[in-house]
Amino acid sequence: GDSVTQMEGPVTLSEEAFLTINCTYTATGYPSLFWYVQYPGEGLQLLLKATKADDKGSNKGFEATYRKETTSFHLEKGSVQVSDSAVYFCAQFNQAGTALIFGKGTTLSVSS
Amino acid sequence: NAGVTQTPKFRVLKTGQSMTLLCAQDMNHEYMYWYRQDPGMGLRLIHYSVGEGTTAKGEVPDGYNVSRLKKQNFLLGLESAAPSQTSVYFCASSYGYTGELFFGEGSRLTVL
């Protein structure tokens, strides 16, 4: 069935370091892809999305490019801040297209 | 602007007890979802609704029931709670199949 797979965490970085969180998907066709972020004690919120192949989603300095050749949607940021410490989830629609299915989440911890 | 509100935020139950989680949204969204979040498992979809009076099963529906009698409310019921249902429950809503979900702050349920 359709699924998303994220790299295992936690990811621990120093402030201003480069961030990559890997995400790959399995699906029939080319689903829209999403990154959500969950800050401590809060619900998830949409960070960015891409709706078709080669699209690049971006927000708050984060970017992800939809690559159908490698079925990937890796999240990147050039210079992380302490305030980026959170759990990041990759997601896509389920096969019926009616709800999102999420990866297991990757915890990012940034220290100053 | 409240967005998505979940009640209660915390609850402790004994095995076999029943309870209902209430989710209310004030954004006039058609679609509503219940997810559970467990360590190492990410978010898993329990049930969802694509409109008033409709519900559908997600990935992990067993042991839960839902109702959507009013467009703004989505109730999640546990008829006979089990320790395996100890989790953080998130409600979310969306305007359509855009993939942009708005989440509540979560309800932490412990079943002893």
Side-chain angles (χ1 to χ4, degrees), chain A residues 32 34 36 38 41-46 49 51 87 89 93-94 96-105, chain B residues 31 33 35 37-38 40-45 48 50 59 90 96-106:
Chain A
S32 296
F34 307 85
Y36 275 76
Q38 183 182 30
E42 300 182 9
L44 280 70
Q45 55 186 277
L46 179 65
K49 69 177 182 181
T51 58
V87 183
F89 293 90
F93 278 110
N94 62 4
T98 52
L100 287 187
I101 52 176
F102 290 85
K104 293 185 178 182
Chain B
Y31 308 122
Y33 312 86
Y35 289 89
Q37 183 176 30
D38 303 291
M41 301 297 292
L43 266 74
R44 293 180 292 171
L45 181 65
Y48 62 100
V50 298
E59 303 168 69
F90 285 98
Y97 294 140
T98 61
E100 182 170 7
L101 272 58
F102 293 82
F103 281 80
E105 294 183 342

Side-chain angles (χ1 to χ4, degrees), chain B:
Chain B
N1 191 359
V4 178
T5 304
Q6 296 180 226
T7 52
K9 290 189 170 36
F10 301 93
R11 184 75 187 269
V12 178
L13 289 177
K14 295 181 179 178
T15 297
Q17 287 185 317
S18 64
M19 76 159 295
T20 300
L21 295 174
L22 170 64
C23 176
Q25 53 95 3
D26 63 1
M27 296 173 282
N28 201 35
H29 285 168
E30 285 293 332
Y31 308 122
M32 297 187 74
Y33 312 86
W34 277 108
Y35 289 89
R36 59 178 289 175
Q37 183 176 30
D38 303 291
M41 301 297 292
L43 266 74
R44 293 180 292 171
L45 181 65
I46 305 171
H47 285 281
Y48 62 100
S49 168
V50 298
E52 183 178 316
T54 73
T55 62
K57 294 180 180 180
E59 303 168 69
V60 289
D62 294 342
Y64 304 95
N65 56 76
V66 288
S67 64
R68 183 96 182 270
L69 298 179
K70 293 182 178 181
K71 186 177 182 179
Q72 64 267 33
N73 295 338
F74 194 30
L75 278 63
L76 177 71
L78 285 71
E79 291 184 346
S80 179
S84 61
Q85 294 177 304
T86 293
S87 187
V88 180
Y89 292 86
F90 285 98
C91 177
S93 70
S94 67
Y95 179 69
Y97 294 140
T98 61
E100 182 170 7
L101 272 58
F102 293 82
F103 281 80
E105 294 183 342
S107 297
R108 183 175 294 274
L109 174 65
T110 301
V111 183
L112 302 175

